[in-house]
Amino acid sequence: MSPASGPGPRWLLFSFGMGLVSGTRCPHNCQCQIQEVSCRGKQLTAYPPDIPLSTRRLYLDNNRITYLPAMNLGLLSDLVYLDCQNNLIREVMDYTFIGVFKLIYLDLSTNNLTFISPYSFSVLSKLVQLNISNNPHLAYLHKYTFANTSSLRYLDLRNTGLQILDLEAVHHLGALRTLYLSGNPWNCNCSFLDFTIYLIVTQLDHPDDQNATCFEPAELAGWPITRVGNPLRYMCITHLNNQDYIFVLLIGFCIFAAGTVAAWITGMCAVLYENARRKSDEDEADDEIGQRLEVSRRIFLIKDEPDHDGFPRLI
Ligand SMILES: *[C@@H]1O[C@H](CO)[C@@H](O)[C@H](O)[C@H]1NC(C)=O
Ligand SMILES: *[C@@H]1O[C@H](CO)[C@@H](O)[C@H](O)[C@H]1NC(C)=O
Ligand SMILES: *[C@@H]1O[C@H](CO)[C@@H](O)[C@H](O)[C@H]1NC(C)=O
Ligand SMILES: *[C@@H]1O[C@H](CO)[C@@H](O)[C@H](O)[C@H]1NC(C)=O
Ligand SMILES: *[C@@H]1O[C@H](CO)[C@@H](O)[C@H](O)[C@H]1NC(C)=O
């Protein structure tokens, strides 16, 4: 028997490829409709295989998935809607969404995110709605996290561990309309000032602003962060910390030193000038004495001049 008569590896590869391309597969236990796959609440512990490549809407919510494999996800280049709500996803890496650049809706809420890599969303320039609420261990968002998500309209950051948000992370989001910020332990210190001023000057919609309050420092605890901008500005501008005191002391010392040097130079100049003047006065006095001497010398000369008769004339 020649090897060509049976289904060789090439044929297998071909049929596998056809199966993927034709989109006839459906993950076990999930429902597949045209361009839509639903695996909601199926006790999945991992991202399901065999998702048709033409899928545009993918529901993976209410499972126990711990991570999103970039390779498999990247095959779904037409995906616009991804719901991963209520899973156990721990982190999102720079490359996680690199293949699904058409995403418009992304729900990562109610997971266990501790880390969102700075460029995770950098290809998602069409993203309109992003939900990362209910991730209590998420303590930090890098200032480039939303650098390229210029279409973002709804951003949900409720109930995370975020204490602070860099103004640079959001200030360029011109399409942003609704921002949810409640349930976070916001630290309303001076690093937060620029962001709170931004919340005042941009007319964003904050449906939950009553519950988005400062957690720290004690004197501002309970203040809604959408209104804390002005007291915070007052605090940060009038309040001097240790570094400022050192700076002020240093400046004071410099002024004092400069003053001392200036006084010394002035004194020296005065003394030198005084000396010079005294000297010239003395010279003048010397001249006077000289003149007098001259006069008396002349008188003497006259006196000494021999008379016609050879004797000095007597006055
Ligand atoms: C984000 O997800 C939470 C629950 O996971 C939900 O309650 C909330 O409405 C969602 N936010 C938006 C803006 O849809
Ligand atoms: C969530 O993440 C935290 C910190 O990494 C970990 O301690 C905790 O066990 C995780 N929770 C679950 C349910 O996996
Ligand atoms: C933003 O997108 C542009 C092209 O769409 C790309 O050149 C640039 O590198 C992206 N920026 C980041 C921070 O990924
Ligand atoms: C403000 O609080 C954040 C988070 O707690 C901290 O990282 C930052 O250093 C603080 N800034 C100042 C000026 O204290
Ligand atoms: C604020 O929080 C309270 C209790 O946690 C809740 O009952 C209320 O609906 C919240 N308000 C808004 C506007 O989210």
Side-chain angles (χ1 to χ4, degrees):
M1 277 246 129
S2 76
S5 59
R10 245 187 250 174
W11 170 249
L12 274 181
L13 203 63
F14 177 70
S15 58
F16 175 70
M18 282 307 285
L20 283 178
V21 172
S22 62
T24 53
R25 290 158 167 262
C26 188
H28 178 64
N29 246 344
C30 299
Q31 282 96 49
C32 298
Q33 294 166 8
I34 300 163
Q35 299 185 328
E36 184 176 312
V37 174
S38 171
C39 305
R40 324 180 85 148
K42 301 290 184 215
Q43 310 281 318
L44 299 178
T45 54
Y47 181 87
D50 301 338
I51 294 175
L53 297 192
S54 58
T55 303
R56 289 168 62 84
R57 295 171 81 91
L58 178 56
Y59 298 87
L60 298 174
D61 49 296
N62 298 297
N63 285 293
R64 280 180 283 140
I65 297 169
T66 52
Y67 97 111
L68 292 173
M71 286 282 272
N72 305 33
L73 201 57
L75 295 173
L76 313 179
S77 57
D78 285 329
L79 201 66
V80 293
Y81 189 104
L82 178 59
D83 186 353
C84 298
Q85 194 189 133
N86 196 13
N87 276 284
L88 293 172
I89 299 167
R90 290 198 200 104
E91 54 186 20
V92 178
M93 305 307 292
D94 281 347
Y95 45 79
T96 301
F97 300 110
I98 206 131
V100 288
F101 50 88
K102 289 184 188 163
L103 271 188
I104 291 173
Y105 180 97
L106 177 58
D107 193 343
L108 293 168
S109 66
T110 319
N111 273 280
N112 201 15
L113 287 175
T114 53
F115 178 64
I116 293 182
S117 190
Y119 300 103
S120 300
F121 308 129
S122 66
V123 298
L124 304 182
S125 58
K126 297 189 167 68
L127 195 66
V128 171
Q129 186 158 348
L130 177 62
N131 193 343
I132 43 185
S133 68
N134 299 329
N135 282 288
H137 299 289
L138 181 67
Y140 177 68
L141 280 180
H142 193 273
K143 63 179 177 180
Y144 294 143
T145 308
F146 309 116
N148 260 10
T149 56
S150 48
S151 308
L152 208 54
R153 266 182 97 85
Y154 306 93
L155 180 57
D156 195 338
L157 300 175
R158 265 177 279 187
N159 304 322
T160 68
L162 290 178
Q163 299 185 324
I164 207 155
L165 199 57
D166 197 328
L167 173 64
E168 276 196 63
V170 291
H171 79 282
H172 59 283
L173 296 175
L176 195 62
R177 291 291 167 272
T178 310
L179 183 57
Y180 296 90
L181 297 166
S182 65
N184 297 314
W186 296 116
N187 187 346
C188 297
N189 63 20
C190 297
S191 309
F192 202 46
L193 173 64
D194 291 344
F195 181 71
T196 59
I197 299 291
Y198 161 86
L199 292 180
I200 292 175
V201 299
T202 55
Q203 301 287 309
L204 293 180
D205 197 9
H206 304 284
D208 61 344
D209 62 348
Q210 289 305 314
N211 286 353
T213 54
C214 301
F215 183 70
E216 278 179 290
E219 56 264 45
L220 292 175
W223 271 79
I225 61 168
T226 48
R227 264 173 279 144
V228 82
N230 285 321
L232 195 56
R233 180 159 48 186
Y234 178 76
M235 247 182 63
C236 292
I237 290 171
T238 56
H239 181 78
L240 298 178
N241 60 24
N242 284 350
Q243 241 174 337
D244 296 334
Y245 281 123
I246 290 172
F247 185 70
V248 166
L249 276 179
L250 214 65
I251 291 284
F253 177 75
C254 286
I255 291 173
F256 171 74
T260 308
V261 170
W264 183 76
I265 290 174
T266 314
M268 282 299 285
C269 287
V271 168
L272 287 177
Y273 174 73
E274 195 59 33
N275 275 353
R277 220 185 51 171
R278 199 177 303 147
K279 204 153 182 220
S280 71
D281 280 359
E282 270 170 17
D283 285 356
E284 261 172 43
D286 283 355
D287 282 1
E288 233 169 83
I289 291 167
Q291 274 173 9
R292 272 190 226 143
L293 279 178
E294 181 71 4
V295 169
S296 39
R297 200 172 60 87
R298 283 215 188 126
I299 292 169
F300 253 98
L301 272 180
I302 295 165
K303 275 196 264 180
D304 288 348
E305 232 170 60
D307 224 342
H308 305 286
D309 46 11
F311 293 101
R313 197 170 35 171
L314 293 168
I315 297 171

